[in-house]
Amino acid sequence: MTYTVAVSGASGYAGGEILRLLASHPDIEIRTVTAHSNAGQPLIQHQPHLRSLAHLTLQDTTPEILAGHDIVFLALPHGQSGQYTDALGDVPLVIDAGADHRLTSQDSWDAFYGGHFHEPWAYGVPELIVGGEKQRESLRSAKRIAAPGCNASTVSLSLVPGVAAGVIDPRDIVSVLAVGPSGAGKSLKPHLLGSELLGTANPYAVGGTHRHIPEIQQALQTAGADDARISFTPVLVPMARGILATSTAPIVPGTSDAQIREAWESAYGDETFVQLLPEGQFPRTADVLGANTALMGLAIDRAANRVTVVTAVDNLVKGTAGAAIQSMNLALGLPEGRALTVNGVAP
């Protein structure tokens, strides 16, 4: 069976990455691409790397144009998806790459985003441990899916195995991330100009203000950490795409080194797209460029009595578009890894 697809926000980074991955999906026909200010222009003008989609023209983003497809992807700025999802009730599968349907707590939404609160959808991180099982079980046959925030899913995947196994204390988590500016979207922002980024590293959203914090806390809570507290600091670095997240947490007293490593090995030993590296090895962002892979290294620091997890992802693939398509495959009953790869691009 071939499924027809519409992708909104198709001229942006997330929309373009969704299209790049879908273009090689044997069960998908990309029928419609939409935008706002770029409507009426050829897709290839804004996504010149998508040569196989050169025949498509960006249309207006309206519920009428998005309706009538089997699947709709919404790759819109935070707070803009809800106005469309409410009007797409007849579309069999809708996947939102924005934040509008990620949070279960309206208080958290009000504190970090504001505006109208929309119902939470199935969270698009299949490998995440939720209540003792993997999130993929909630994605099978799902009709509405919220793709994750890239920083949030990276940190959550890093820490949830330790929380679920009871080997780390979730009340004192510290995460520092090196991130590429593509995660901020394609619209012009002076502080993201090349001349502002090259040769420097810039912290932002310091002091507990980043919008992905409640999403991380939500993931930790569903793994059993109702009292989770996290200090989260992202740092912009001069690479177009990628996240390198270094997360630490205290070791629960009486826990052995073997028990700690076993928590992560048992969580991800059978996973294709989340891989724990051998002891003593740690990933680079270059190793996951273009891949739907989260590579993870784990260290046990007995001097500080803390576990350190270093995780690398491509923020536009495993962090966003790849997670969305992996979740789509599950919802449609297709092989989970269809049109996705563990192989990166080098050099």
Side-chain angles (χ1 to χ4, degrees), residues 234-251:
V235 181
L236 281 173
V237 297
M239 59 183 180
R241 55 204 287 170
I243 296 172
L244 188 72
T246 302
S247 303
T248 76
I251 298 169

Side-chain angles (χ1 to χ4, degrees), residues 285-311:
T285 56
D287 301 330
V288 295
L289 184 65
N292 189 52
T293 314
L295 294 183
M296 196 173 297
L298 184 147
I300 300 168
D301 183 351
R302 283 295 177 181
N305 196 44
R306 297 181 75 89
V307 171
T308 298
V309 183
V310 181
T311 303

Side-chain angles (χ1 to χ4, degrees), residues 49 71 115 171 207 240 262:
H49 60 300
I71 307 165
R171 296 172 297 177
E262 171 60 22

Side-chain angles (χ1 to χ4, degrees), residues 36 38 55 115 126 140-141 160 177 215 225 234 257 260 263 267 304 333:
H36 285 102
N38 297 320
H55 61 287
R140 299 187 196 280
S141 301
V160 158
L177 289 72
E215 192 176 335
D257 289 9
I260 293 169

Side-chain angles (χ1 to χ4, degrees), residues 134 264-272 274-276:
K134 293 293 181 71
W264 275 263
E265 288 178 343
S266 62
Y268 299 133
D270 295 328
E271 294 291 350
T272 299
V274 180
Q275 299 181 16
L276 179 67

Side-chain angles (χ1 to χ4, degrees), residues 142-168:
K143 306 302 182 185
R144 298 293 183 267
I145 296 170
C150 53
N151 296 315
S153 61
T154 305
V155 174
S156 298
L157 287 168
S158 299
L159 295 171
V160 158
V163 170
V167 300
I168 62 173

Side-chain angles (χ1 to χ4, degrees), residues 7 14 24 55 63 76 83 119 124 141 150 176 187 199 217 228 235 245 256 262 264 268 278 285 291 309 318 336:
V7 177
S24 62
H55 61 287
L76 302 172
Q83 62 182 308
E119 65 173 332
S141 301
C150 53
V176 178
S187 60
Q217 290 175 322
V235 181
S256 69
E262 171 60 22
W264 275 263
Y268 299 133
T285 56
V309 183
K318 185 56 176 169
E336 187 174 334

